[in-house]
Amino acid sequence: MSGIYIHIPFCTQACHYCDFHFSTSMKKKEEMVLAIAKEIQMRKNEFLLLDSARSATQIETIYFGGGTPSVLQISDLKFLIDTVYENYTVAPNPEITLEANPDDLTTLSVLGQSRTIFEAYRSIGINRLSIGIQSFFEDDLKMMNRAHNSAEAKKCLEEATQYFDNISLDLIYGIPGMTNEKWKQNIETALSFGIPHISSYALTVEPKTALNKLIQTGKIAAPKDEVAQEHFAILVEMLEANDFIHYELSNFGKENYFSKNNSAYWLGKKYIGIGPSAHSYDGISRSWNVSNNTLYLKSIQENKLPIETEILSITDRYNEYIMTGLRTIWGVSLDRIETEFGSEYLNYLHKQSQKFLDDDLLEIVTSSDSAFRQNSIEKILKPTAKGKFLTDGIASDLFYLNLE
């Protein structure tokens, strides 16, 4: 199973907390769509399997991220989806996700007929929406400099759920001034729409963002870790009580509604990233496109891929598996550690994890639901309920450094 991620590097305005690659100028949007389509075509042979048949790997997920992909016209999205189908072997019923903001999800007028944008999305094959709500409160949205308001957030979900079954929404917690009660109201509002998937992240302060500057100048209070931890605990409790499965640190889905695209990342499966700043992974190397729209366009026009590549050492791959594995419901398979990385890494992992096992932050469980080896009982290292919020810090202590 493989996937294609398509990065659309445009936004109508810059959110204060965002450090993703994007431009608020739409001047090169049409040129960019053509360049992205050309890159899709230029990289069509990357998924050939090295076997005697040299059969093409099937693409099971297409994901439009950004930026804000919903700034594109329906015709642009259709053009890019068609380009994937023309150049790759696409599995039947692939998951095709579009990230969208509420302010873009309005009624379309096509050939004199009025129809919802959701009907238009469905007509070109999009079958999953990821909607950037972030909060249902006006003061939060203004503080984050979101382009939509609370009324638009609710209206777009009311309409989207009439046309789409597979919808995810984003919520941000740990916002300065957000009480536990206010956070509970955000979750309750999200649940009221019957959404089957929720992605939720703590507000983080990244360097070179407007949020960082606002905090440094005292215009906004800094987020507090203890508040974020309380909000996280509330989130887990409320969503699990409503039949959501906490399958990744920041992701909750009802049964059969996990993100196939994101799950593939966490399980170490291959994917190609198309567009400026997009990353790719083939199992042994990681590559990334230049994070500059002008340089990206120039390179594609010259028939050159604007890519840098890093060959991953065994230590790199071990550390990456520790990081992604601990974040997921599938945990870290001790059998996989020994099989793929060797007894030296397994012994090191046992040694480093002991203090977290003693403090009830990690546990070793037996499981037959393994992402590594199906239909067999394996020992799995995973965070306890107490350790979940601390997962990233725990993982960093399990990394193997300076082995090679």
Side-chain angles (χ1 to χ4, degrees), residues 336-394:
R336 177 177 173 181
I337 293 292
E338 185 170 29
T339 300
E340 293 190 8
F341 305 106
S343 58
E344 189 171 359
Y345 286 88
L346 180 63
N347 292 337
Y348 178 83
L349 178 58
H350 278 300
K351 178 182 176 183
Q352 291 298 108
S353 62
Q354 190 58 54
K355 59 183 175 182
F356 299 110
L357 292 165
D358 293 342
D359 291 339
D360 193 32
L361 297 176
L362 291 177
E363 61 181 345
I364 295 175
V365 300
T366 56
S367 174
S368 58
D369 182 23
S370 168
F372 172 58
R373 184 181 291 125
Q374 295 183 345
N375 302 320
S376 65
I377 302 298
E378 290 185 63
K379 289 184 178 180
I380 304 296
L381 180 70
K382 60 198 309 184
T384 62
K386 180 181 173 183
K388 278 185 179 180
F389 185 76
L390 305 173
T391 294
D392 288 347
I394 293 171

Side-chain angles (χ1 to χ4, degrees), residues 31-240:
E31 187 179 356
M32 182 62 70
V33 170
L34 292 174
I36 286 173
K38 185 173 180 179
E39 187 190 354
I40 291 172
Q41 185 176 19
M42 290 170 70
R43 300 178 68 181
K44 64 182 180 181
N45 292 326
E46 289 189 25
F47 277 151
L48 286 179
L49 295 176
L50 298 177
D51 60 15
S52 57
R54 290 192 64 80
S55 57
T57 299
Q58 286 193 331
I59 301 300
E60 294 194 356
T61 65
I62 302 171
Y63 191 101
F64 288 94
T68 310
S70 54
V71 301
L72 294 189
Q73 300 294 319
I74 298 298
S75 57
D76 293 331
L77 293 166
K78 183 179 186 304
F79 171 58
L80 294 176
I81 293 171
D82 288 347
T83 302
V84 172
Y85 271 85
E86 290 165 4
N87 290 279
Y88 298 78
T89 301
V90 181
N93 303 313
E95 177 187 87
I96 305 181
T97 302
L98 179 81
E99 289 185 356
N101 281 343
D103 47 298
D104 295 323
L105 302 180
T106 55
T107 299
L108 279 178
S109 179
V110 181
L111 298 177
Q113 297 181 346
S114 179
R115 62 173 175 167
T116 70
I117 198 167
F118 305 108
E119 291 173 292
Y121 285 153
R122 285 184 56 179
S123 73
I124 62 171
I126 292 168
N127 51 31
R128 184 175 185 271
L129 296 178
S130 178
I131 303 177
I133 300 295
Q134 314 310 356
S135 176
F136 291 99
F137 290 94
E138 293 293 345
D139 57 337
D140 295 337
L141 296 172
K142 288 178 181 178
M143 186 277 288
M144 292 185 284
N145 200 40
R146 296 291 293 168
H148 69 276
N149 58 40
S150 179
E152 288 174 321
K154 294 172 183 176
K155 185 175 186 297
C156 88
L157 290 176
E158 288 173 358
E159 295 185 357
T161 50
Q162 296 178 37
Y163 298 94
F164 279 82
D165 175 52
N166 198 353
I167 297 175
S168 177
L169 62 79
D170 290 352
L171 292 176
I172 292 180
Y173 58 88
I175 297 172
M178 177 180 279
T179 63
N180 288 352
E181 185 56 38
K182 189 177 178 182
W183 176 232
K184 289 178 183 178
Q185 289 179 41
N186 254 338
I187 299 170
E188 288 169 353
T189 302
L191 291 172
S192 71
F193 291 98
I195 302 297
H197 189 283
I198 292 176
S199 297
S200 191
Y201 310 90
L203 181 67
T204 56
V205 184
E206 302 291 348
K208 300 180 181 179
T209 60
L211 178 61
N212 186 47
K213 186 173 182 180
L214 289 167
I215 290 172
Q216 289 179 340
T217 56
K219 294 180 180 178
I220 294 178
K224 297 179 179 179
D225 288 344
E226 58 269 27
V227 172
Q229 189 165 359
E230 286 184 18
H231 289 179
F232 179 78
I234 290 168
L235 176 72
V236 173
E237 181 181 2
M238 290 183 66
L239 293 187
E240 289 186 343

Side-chain angles (χ1 to χ4, degrees), residues 163-341:
Y163 298 94
F164 279 82
D165 175 52
N166 198 353
I167 297 175
S168 177
L169 62 79
D170 290 352
L171 292 176
I172 292 180
Y173 58 88
I175 297 172
M178 177 180 279
T179 63
N180 288 352
E181 185 56 38
K182 189 177 178 182
W183 176 232
K184 289 178 183 178
Q185 289 179 41
N186 254 338
I187 299 170
E188 288 169 353
T189 302
L191 291 172
S192 71
F193 291 98
I195 302 297
H197 189 283
I198 292 176
S199 297
S200 191
Y201 310 90
L203 181 67
T204 56
V205 184
E206 302 291 348
K208 300 180 181 179
T209 60
L211 178 61
N212 186 47
K213 186 173 182 180
L214 289 167
I215 290 172
Q216 289 179 340
T217 56
K219 294 180 180 178
I220 294 178
K224 297 179 179 179
D225 288 344
E226 58 269 27
V227 172
Q229 189 165 359
E230 286 184 18
H231 289 179
F232 179 78
I234 290 168
L235 176 72
V236 173
E237 181 181 2
M238 290 183 66
L239 293 187
E240 289 186 343
N242 282 273
D243 300 323
F244 282 79
I245 300 167
H246 190 190
Y247 73 104
E248 194 272 341
L249 184 63
S250 301
N251 287 271
F252 303 77
K254 293 198 172 181
E255 191 170 354
N256 300 319
Y257 286 97
F258 296 179
S259 167
K260 293 180 181 179
N261 176 82
N262 293 348
S263 294
Y265 295 162
W266 301 320
L267 293 173
K269 298 183 179 180
K270 299 178 183 179
Y271 60 90
I272 288 178
I274 304 289
S277 80
H279 284 233
S280 304
Y281 176 71
D282 66 4
I284 58 173
S285 68
R286 189 169 299 285
S287 59
W288 55 93
N289 286 349
V290 63
S291 297
N292 181 295
N293 288 2
T294 300
L295 293 179
Y296 173 83
L297 291 170
K298 183 176 184 294
S299 182
I300 295 296
Q301 287 164 0
E302 295 174 351
N303 297 312
K304 300 175 184 176
L305 291 174
I307 292 178
E308 291 185 48
T309 300
E310 172 191 18
I311 303 299
L312 299 175
S313 68
I314 187 171
T315 300
D316 293 332
R317 289 185 280 116
Y318 165 86
N319 289 343
E320 189 161 303
Y321 176 51
I322 293 295
M323 174 60 78
T324 56
L326 285 184
R327 289 180 63 97
T328 70
I329 195 173
W330 302 286
V332 171
S333 165
L334 299 183
D335 289 340
R336 177 177 173 181
I337 293 292
E338 185 170 29
T339 300
E340 293 190 8
F341 305 106

